[in-house]
């Protein structure tokens, strides 16, 4: 038996829950594992349970879908499901893997699920023999590629994708997936998120100011205000 992906539906409207639950039921490898009817309820469920994919509405009272994404940067793969097209940029900036407009056909639903599966199939991190030999395995250009963590300069978020900059490559590799998820996979004290769009190798930082850091290759990376304290902890 293959993998089963646990799904959480987050929407304040019952018809939306019924429609998505019906789509989930048609897929053998999906499991409808939870329903939240508000952002506050969703935050509690995400903190107490494990899910693989969440279907997230935008227009909800108290905590909107965008606010929930900002509050839960390490949440499961997120597929936005909404009646509004205005928030697509904000959703992708917060690492949504797809943005579906209601009413959602099963065809569009299936394509979004395939994106989620592709992400999960390509984000494994190999076990290390020593810290210097740890490698990150990911899918790029249609194939699986391994890169030593020690060779990575930084990773930049790019909507549904990321740019991985390596000391060994002249141009960045484009990787499918979210910055928050790859941060979990790296799980190394040598890497720190310095901005909502950047994770850097701390061993490659040559200097820093309050708003920027300079890497060994002289590239300048912006530093977000809320990440400043975390970054400072590496230089104590």
């Amino acid at each position: 038996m293959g993998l089963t992906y646990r799904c959480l539906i987050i929407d304040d409207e019952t018809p939306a829950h019924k429609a998505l639950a019906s789509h989930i039921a048609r897929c053998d490898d999906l499991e409808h594992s939870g329903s939240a009817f508000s952002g506050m309820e969703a935050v509690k469920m995400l903190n107490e349970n494990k899910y693989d994919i969440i279907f997230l509405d935008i227009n909800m009272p108290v905590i909107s879908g965008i606010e929930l994404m900002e509050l839960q940067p390490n949440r499961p793969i997120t597929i936005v499901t909404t009646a509004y097209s205005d928030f697509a940029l904000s959703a992708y900036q917060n690492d949504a893997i797809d943005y579906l407009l209601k009413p959602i056909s099963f065809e569009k639903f299936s394509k979004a699920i395939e994106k989620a599966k592709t992400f999960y199939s390509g984000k494994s991190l190999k076990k290390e023999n020593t810290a210097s030999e740890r490698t990150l395995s990911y899918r790029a250009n249609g194939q699986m590629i391994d890169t030593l963590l020690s060779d990575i300069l930084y990773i930049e978020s790019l909507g549904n994708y990321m740019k991985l900059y390596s000391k060994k490559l002249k141009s960045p590799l484009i990787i499918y997936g979210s910055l928050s998820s790859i941060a979990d996979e790296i799980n190394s004290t040598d890497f720190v998120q310095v901005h909502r769009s950047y994770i850097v190798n701390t061993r490659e930082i040559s200097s820093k100011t309050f708003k920027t850091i300079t890497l060994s290759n002289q590239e300048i990376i912006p530093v977000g205000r809320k990440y400043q304290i975390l970054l400072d902890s590496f230089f104590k």
Side-chain angles (χ1 to χ4, degrees):
M1 186 176 179
L3 289 174
T4 298
Y5 300 91
R6 291 171 51 84
C7 302
L8 171 66
I9 302 171
I10 307 169
D11 200 300
D12 62 337
E13 298 181 348
T14 299
H17 280 264
K18 290 182 177 180
L20 288 169
S22 176
H23 289 340
I24 291 170
R26 293 176 63 179
C27 303
D28 293 337
D29 51 0
L30 299 185
E31 175 185 292
H32 182 192
S33 301
S35 297
F37 288 84
S38 71
M40 293 183 69
E41 184 182 6
V43 169
K44 185 176 186 295
M45 294 179 71
L46 287 167
N47 288 338
E48 295 178 354
N49 303 281
K50 175 177 172 53
Y51 303 98
D52 301 302
I53 301 170
I54 62 175
F55 298 94
L56 178 62
D57 186 25
I58 293 293
N59 190 21
M60 296 185 294
V62 186
I63 298 177
S64 71
I66 297 298
E67 290 169 334
L68 186 145
M69 286 192 281
E70 292 172 346
L71 287 169
Q72 299 276 334
N74 296 320
R75 67 192 178 278
I77 291 295
T78 302
I79 297 172
V80 170
T81 57
T82 179
Y84 303 91
S85 60
D86 312 50
F87 303 99
L89 178 59
S90 295
Y92 286 128
Q93 286 176 336
N94 282 283
D95 300 325
I97 204 166
D98 211 341
Y99 192 94
L100 303 181
L101 290 176
K102 300 173 181 176
I104 299 166
S105 68
F106 183 69
E107 180 182 7
K108 291 181 180 179
F109 173 90
S110 298
K111 288 180 179 179
I113 292 300
E114 287 306 311
K115 289 181 182 180
K117 291 178 183 177
T118 298
F119 176 83
Y120 275 120
S121 69
K123 69 165 193 144
S124 60
L125 183 67
K126 289 189 174 181
K127 299 286 185 180
E128 66 270 21
N129 294 320
T130 67
S132 62
E133 294 174 349
R134 291 185 64 191
T135 61
L136 181 67
S137 296
Y138 50 86
R139 188 178 298 279
N141 301 322
Q143 58 183 330
M144 293 303 296
I145 298 174
D146 293 336
T147 295
L148 285 170
L149 293 188
S150 57
D151 286 341
I152 297 174
L153 287 166
Y154 67 97
I155 302 171
E156 177 185 3
S157 177
L158 192 68
N160 282 340
Y161 297 84
M162 295 170 286
K163 286 184 178 181
L164 185 149
Y165 293 80
S166 168
K167 291 184 287 185
K168 299 292 182 67
L169 300 173
K170 292 182 178 180
S171 58
L173 283 170
I174 306 299
I175 307 172
Y176 187 74
S178 70
L179 198 67
S180 58
S181 293
I182 208 167
D184 290 340
E185 291 300 311
I186 289 174
N187 191 25
S188 169
T189 55
D190 289 340
F191 290 84
V192 60
Q193 186 162 359
V194 300
H195 186 276
R196 68 188 302 174
S197 299
Y198 293 92
I199 291 174
V200 302
N201 186 339
T202 58
R203 294 179 180 272
E204 298 299 326
I205 298 176
S206 58
S207 64
K208 77 179 187 72
T209 67
F210 184 74
K211 293 185 177 180
T212 65
I213 57 172
T214 301
L215 300 181
S216 58
N217 65 349
Q218 301 306 306
E219 284 197 62
I220 297 174
I221 305 295
V223 175
R225 181 181 298 177
K226 73 176 183 178
Y227 300 98
Q228 185 62 238
I229 295 176
L230 182 61
L231 179 62
D232 286 345
S233 68
F234 281 84
F235 294 90
K236 289 182 178 179

